[in-house]
Amino acid sequence: MHWREKLIIALDVPDSEYALELVDKFGEQIEIYKVGLELFTSAGPRIIKELHKRNKRVFLDLKFHDIPNTVSKAAVAAARLGVYMFNVHASGGFDMMKMCRDSVVELCLKENLQKPKILGVTVLTSMAQQALKDELGIQHSLNTHVRHLSALALKAGLDGVVASGHEASKIKNHCGKGFIIVTPGIRPSWHPPDDQHRTMTPKQALREGADYIVMGRSILNYSDPLRAIELVSLEMLTA
Ligand code: C5P
């Protein structure tokens, strides 16, 4: 697979003008963009249409987490937008994930739409072992918890999970090679420490089994973002 099919750029910017300026600047280099809470809240579904017009695939990262009925209706709306992938919090539970998946499959069959890949968010890459225990009251290890949520997502029929590179190989072993792993918290050597805790370099994450890596600030905040993409692509080729 070409490196471009594995790199997702997070459009974590405040408005659609800025987002599209970046997309036009990156041109053919980037094929998949992630639209998250900030951009979707400010720009709405129109930004998805603009990205599609430019032949880009979209990962809608809104991390749905609500009762099964509400999440499955939001999921149907996401599928109607034609996104390539979207996510829900796996900690929303089995019924929520299963109903979400079933509603999307039903819609796509009925309306002959391409089914988006549905991912379960396991444990946020900004969360460390201690916080999981002290703040969320989860007593078993972070690895065990990620594995447990991944298995639950698989059982509910989801296509894969969002998880850090540190858990990727264990998830692949547990859930199978075809179960997709999308990995944020990617930090190349030039990036200073920040809110992300379970980080990895692009090369390490791919070696551990990530199918896609998500990169935001380390590309967008680099003095020359196109050069940063080039550096990352070279590193990905050696993975
Ligand atoms: O700037 P940075 O590379 O940290 O961006 C990572 C992106 O991935 C952010 O948009 C963040 O919301 C998202 N994300 C994450 N951890 C998850 C799921 C999504 O960091 N578990």
Side-chain angles (χ1 to χ4, degrees), residues 56-70:
K56 304 302 175 192
R57 283 183 270 169
V58 177
F59 169 18
L60 186 63
D61 178 23
L62 299 181
K63 301 185 185 71
F64 299 138
H65 192 171
D66 209 313
I67 58 171
N69 182 58
T70 303

Side-chain angles (χ1 to χ4, degrees), residues 21-46:
E21 201 180 292
L22 289 170
V23 172
D24 292 338
K25 179 154 123 188
F26 297 161
E28 303 283 296
Q29 291 295 351
I30 300 300
E31 292 179 1
I32 319 174
Y33 284 98
K34 185 172 86 65
V35 174
L37 292 170
E38 182 186 16
L39 184 58
F40 194 79
T41 304
S42 82
R46 201 180 63 84

Side-chain angles (χ1 to χ4, degrees), residues 12 34 61 63 124-125 162 184 187 196 214-217:
D12 290 335
K34 185 172 86 65
D61 178 23
K63 301 185 185 71
L124 297 173
T125 41
V162 182
R187 291 290 175 264
Q196 295 281 26
V214 178
M215 297 187 73
R217 287 165 287 180

Side-chain angles (χ1 to χ4, degrees), residues 37-236:
L37 292 170
E38 182 186 16
L39 184 58
F40 194 79
T41 304
S42 82
R46 201 180 63 84
I47 185 67
I48 315 279
K49 295 194 176 101
E50 289 297 328
L51 288 164
H52 285 159
K53 263 197 228 162
R54 289 161 173 79
N55 289 321
K56 304 302 175 192
R57 283 183 270 169
V58 177
F59 169 18
L60 186 63
D61 178 23
L62 299 181
K63 301 185 185 71
F64 299 138
H65 192 171
D66 209 313
I67 58 171
N69 182 58
T70 303
V71 167
S72 59
K73 292 210 159 117
V76 160
R80 280 216 167 91
L81 286 174
V83 299
Y84 176 62
M85 48 171 77
F86 73 88
N87 55 9
V88 303
H89 267 287
S91 47
F94 178 81
D95 288 350
M96 185 199 90
M97 288 191 278
K98 173 89 170 53
M99 189 169 167
C100 162
R101 187 252 176 199
D102 290 350
S103 309
V104 169
V105 168
E106 194 187 319
L107 169 90
C108 294
L109 283 175
K110 205 160 82 192
E111 300 190 8
N112 200 21
L113 302 172
Q114 181 82 29
K115 187 192 144 284
K117 296 181 196 309
I118 311 176
L119 307 168
V121 177
T122 55
V123 175
L124 297 173
T125 41
S126 54
M127 176 131 322
Q129 170 77 65
Q130 202 58 40
L132 192 75
K133 184 164 177 265
D134 297 348
E135 297 170 21
L136 302 191
I138 291 164
Q139 298 305 321
H140 50 238
S141 76
L142 198 146
N143 270 331
T144 304
H145 196 55
V146 170
R147 217 174 45 219
H148 169 74
L149 290 175
S150 300
L152 195 69
L154 177 69
K155 194 169 145 204
L158 266 51
D159 301 285
V161 286
V162 182
S164 93
H166 296 275
E167 299 98 37
S169 68
K170 291 171 200 92
I171 297 170
K172 284 279 179 189
N173 285 339
H174 201 66
C175 299
K177 275 203 168 346
F179 197 58
I180 299 167
I181 301 179
V182 176
T183 299
I186 300 295
R187 291 290 175 264
S189 53
W190 64 75
H191 196 101
D194 56 19
D195 59 337
Q196 295 281 26
H197 281 104
R198 301 189 337 274
T199 61
M200 264 197 182
T201 66
K203 184 171 167 176
Q204 279 176 315
L206 292 175
R207 285 204 168 160
E208 289 298 317
D211 296 287
Y212 300 87
I213 56 173
V214 178
M215 297 187 73
R217 287 165 287 180
S218 49
I219 301 277
L220 303 188
N221 297 348
Y222 194 72
S223 53
D224 177 355
L226 267 171
R227 173 75 184 137
I229 291 170
E230 193 189 337
L231 291 172
V232 167
S233 71
L234 291 174
E235 185 177 328
M236 289 174 79

